[in-house]
Amino acid sequence: MKQSPRILIVEDEVKIRQLLETYLQSQGFEVTATPSASEALLCFAALPPDLVLLDLMLPEGMDGLSLCRKLRAESDVPIIMLTARSDEMDKLLGLELGADDYITKPFSPQEVVARIRAVLRRTARSETSSEADVLCVGRVRINLTEYEVKVDGEPVTLTPSEFKLLVALLRQPGRVYTRLQLQDAALGGAYDGYERTVDAHISNLRRKIESDPAHPQYILTVFGIGYKGGKDSE
Ligand code: CA
């Protein structure tokens, strides 16, 4: 069974920190509380939390924004930002920090717990669904978490670029992509000026996926534009 969720609180104001710590513990959470970003990083490494409650304004050293970015760069841990004013929150939303939620001060501890539970529920759900993240189009079956592709039940070996291209095309069959968009989506945006690179990957993919590469069903050419995924009209 899953133990109580562990929450890391990063808040320099003693009163707020203690209030949150006490209240969260009374609600069955494991709590680590720290006043500074540098300590928070140590706590994060020592006892990885299930969620981080992060004050935007931390006085010394690293502020909440930088800490949020740093955590997000190395982890998918859910993060709820605490902010002092609602106009700060508008700014935050524009920054696309990757925080999962924002709470404006003053808040009640009950509200914080409700938001924590909501974020944990949401992230738990997306984890379970991604475990079984399978894309099926006609005879093609793509397991997105195991990077495995089967056609008619037979495993097909694809390069990472081919895999990403196939996923991009078949995730939304019928949607038209330019070569440049595919280059962005599948090849990391390292556009080398040679649209033929995408064409080369596409032709390899067709050879591996299509029963008749000359008359593709899954990877269709849109003349003058690019490619689209087929819906297997067989
Ligand atoms: Ca503060």
Side-chain angles (χ1 to χ4, degrees):
M1 278 313 287
K2 175 96 175 82
Q3 300 163 333
S4 335
R6 179 184 305 282
I7 312 295
L8 173 60
I9 302 172
V10 192
E11 165 66 87
D12 59 297
E13 282 163 71
V14 182
K15 273 166 79 179
I16 299 183
R17 190 173 67 242
Q18 286 175 346
L19 174 75
L20 285 173
E21 185 174 12
T22 312
Y23 190 73
L24 290 185
Q25 280 168 344
S26 78
Q27 296 299 302
F29 294 97
E30 297 277 329
V31 181
T32 312
T34 165
S36 76
S38 49
E39 256 189 57
L41 286 172
L42 295 177
C43 298
F44 189 86
L47 277 179
D50 297 294
L51 184 142
V52 180
L53 205 52
L54 175 55
D55 183 35
L56 176 66
M57 300 297 290
L58 299 169
E60 42 96 24
M62 195 187 293
D63 64 9
L65 283 184
S66 316
L67 180 58
C68 182
R69 286 213 179 88
K70 198 164 166 55
L71 292 177
R72 189 45 85 235
E74 49 196 56
S75 153
D76 286 332
V77 68
I79 299 174
I80 299 180
M81 299 282 302
L82 305 174
T83 75
R85 304 193 312 267
S86 53
D87 57 330
E88 265 175 8
M89 184 142 96
D90 293 339
K91 258 185 270 168
L92 279 180
L93 291 172
L95 287 175
E96 293 177 16
L97 285 172
D100 296 83
D101 203 355
Y102 300 87
I103 303 177
T104 313
K105 294 175 183 176
F107 46 71
S108 67
Q110 289 85 346
E111 181 190 356
V112 174
V113 165
R115 302 280 201 101
I116 289 176
R117 293 220 163 100
V119 168
L120 287 175
R121 263 199 308 274
R122 207 162 67 213
T123 47
R125 205 165 37 232
S126 61
E127 266 163 32
T128 29
S129 70
S130 74
E131 269 166 27
D133 219 345
V134 171
L135 194 62
C136 282
V137 179
R139 296 173 293 112
V140 180
R141 185 182 165 85
I142 307 173
N143 187 316
L144 297 167
T145 44
E146 289 169 18
Y147 293 90
E148 190 185 68
V149 176
K150 289 183 176 173
V151 178
D152 284 334
E154 291 294 315
V156 177
T157 308
L158 300 183
T159 66
S161 298
E162 290 165 359
F163 183 85
K164 287 184 211 156
L165 268 179
L166 186 66
V167 170
L169 288 166
L170 294 190
R171 210 186 263 284
Q172 289 175 272
R175 177 174 164 184
V176 177
Y177 294 89
T178 64
R179 289 179 177 80
L180 190 55
Q181 285 171 328
L182 289 174
Q183 182 97 20
D184 265 352
L187 313 174
Y191 186 58
D192 56 9
Y194 297 103
E195 299 194 328
R196 304 292 302 169
T197 310
V198 171
D199 293 347
H201 287 305
I202 292 280
S203 104
N204 290 335
L205 253 184
R206 280 179 174 155
R207 210 164 27 75
K208 294 176 178 180
I209 299 293
E210 304 280 359
S211 47
D212 179 2
H215 299 93
Q217 293 174 307
Y218 296 103
I219 303 159
L220 309 179
T221 301
V222 182
F223 287 102
I225 301 177
Y227 297 95
K228 68 179 180 181
K231 294 173 185 151
D232 191 36
S233 50
E234 194 174 24

